[in-house]
Amino acid sequence: MAMPTVTVRRDAAPAAEADSVAPELVFELRDVGVSYSGTVAVEGVSLDVHQRHITALIGPSGCGKSTLLRSFDRMNDLVPGAKVFGELLYHGEDLYAPEVDPVEVRRRIGMVFQKPNPFPKSVYDNVAFGLRIQGVRKGLDDLVEHALTQAALWDEVKGKLKHSAFALSGGQQQRLCIARCLAVEPDVILMDEPCSALDPIATARIEDLMADLKRDYTIVIVTHNMQQAARVSDMTAFMTAEVDAHEHRVGRLVEYDATEKLFTNPSDARTEGYITGRFG
């Protein structure tokens, strides 16, 4: 089975103009878990991710946030012994059905990692890389410019396209990685601690960029920075780790709600304890 057809509407109305219409569900997780060589790392996660929303995953270290994030684009498939269980639907289709091509999944669901990881190529070739793999040969210049503009980087690098990507600052490298992701027009962007290695100015630029990108893309972000989650996200999932009968730490979802409500009036005492700094 091919992946479901997804139309990414670049002319879609901003979320603020469409509040009266329930946003489409992009992901539906029902009792999702991940194990490594038979040892459960995350279990029992059920939540919905809405289109053109930013969903933040927060929680203490070791609670399985990044492990869960990697299940959204099947990157755990690349880890020997890893197994994802439960039901994870993408636009209503089983993301883990045997006939689904994981390579196509990762094209539609892009990933931006914690540390900027540009390729040892020029700025231009970094952005054009995925397009060339897809066989795109015509109009590359325009597509590269468009992706860099979307990533709020074009004005800073338009005179340096043939320079090495490693010559850019850390914040610029991270935005270049975002541009590389955007060039192939994904449906979803996953971000795993995208600002943890950046200074406050670069972090603010990435956060502003996320706010702009959610007009066109669905974004799921893992962050240890609760202030960042409060600033940029629409929905927040708080996870924690519990010790099971075998003395293994297992990540579990505690609470999932609109960000404003979760931070101002959480339903679970564990959430309140974490966001007020009593633990974590």
Side-chain angles (χ1 to χ4, degrees):
M1 180 183 72
M3 288 297 297
T5 300
V6 177
T7 301
V8 182
R9 294 185 55 197
R10 301 300 179 222
D11 59 345
E17 297 176 12
D19 286 342
S20 60
V21 180
E24 179 182 342
L25 292 181
V26 177
F27 294 105
E28 299 169 70
L29 281 66
R30 300 293 178 263
D31 291 322
V32 169
V34 183
S35 64
Y36 296 108
S37 300
T39 300
V40 175
V42 177
E43 71 175 358
V45 177
S46 296
L47 57 82
D48 295 330
V49 174
H50 296 90
Q51 188 175 51
R52 292 196 298 277
H53 277 51
I54 298 177
T55 299
L57 307 179
I58 66 170
S61 297
C63 70
K65 303 183 298 296
S66 294
T67 293
L68 181 64
L69 187 74
R70 290 194 296 269
S71 70
F72 284 92
D73 69 346
R74 295 190 54 165
M75 286 197 69
N76 286 317
D77 292 12
L78 306 175
V79 179
K83 180 181 179 182
V84 176
F85 49 93
E87 184 177 57
L88 203 166
L89 303 181
Y90 170 62
H91 291 285
E93 300 286 342
D94 182 0
L95 197 64
Y96 284 83
E99 61 270 25
V100 171
D101 180 3
V103 175
E104 177 63 12
V105 169
R106 294 179 203 121
R107 188 199 70 76
R108 294 176 184 233
I109 306 170
M111 174 74 85
V112 177
F113 295 94
Q114 179 176 3
K115 184 178 179 181
N117 62 338
F119 300 145
K121 299 174 180 289
S122 68
V123 170
Y124 183 100
D125 287 339
N126 263 270
V127 182
F129 184 82
L131 293 166
R132 286 170 171 153
I133 287 179
Q134 291 181 5
V136 177
R137 295 293 181 266
K138 294 183 179 179
L140 271 179
D141 290 354
D142 290 339
L143 294 170
V144 168
E145 179 178 345
H146 179 64
L148 288 168
T149 300
Q150 281 188 297
L153 190 58
W154 173 252
D155 288 340
E156 297 171 45
V157 301
K158 60 186 178 183
K160 308 174 184 177
L161 295 179
K162 298 304 179 183
H163 294 190
S164 169
F166 295 139
L168 302 179
S169 69
Q172 288 175 325
Q173 287 185 22
Q174 191 66 299
R175 281 182 285 150
L176 177 65
C177 293
I178 293 172
R180 188 176 66 200
C181 174
L182 295 174
V184 296
E185 295 198 322
D187 177 43
V188 178
I189 304 171
L190 308 178
M191 296 184 168
D192 191 359
E193 291 280 354
C195 302
S196 65
L198 305 181
D199 61 56
I201 294 175
T203 294
R205 288 183 176 177
I206 297 292
E207 290 181 1
D208 289 344
L209 175 58
M210 284 191 280
D212 290 338
L213 290 175
K214 82 167 185 176
R215 295 172 60 90
D216 296 325
Y217 301 94
T218 300
I219 299 172
V220 184
I221 177 174
V222 164
T223 179
H224 278 100
N225 187 328
M226 287 183 289
Q227 290 77 21
Q228 180 175 79
R231 285 192 298 264
V232 306
S233 69
D234 302 288
M235 300 291 293
T236 297
F238 168 59
M239 298 178 65
T240 193
E242 300 175 353
V243 178
D244 66 12
H246 304 286
E247 300 298 318
H248 296 136
R249 289 168 60 88
V250 179
R252 292 191 173 94
L253 177 66
V254 174
E255 186 170 354
Y256 181 56
D257 212 330
T259 295
E260 183 177 3
K261 181 178 183 303
L262 187 138
F263 276 92
T264 59
N265 187 26
S267 301
D268 193 290
R270 291 170 294 176
T271 309
E272 183 178 8
Y274 181 73
I275 63 179
T276 57
R278 288 203 293 272
F279 78 93

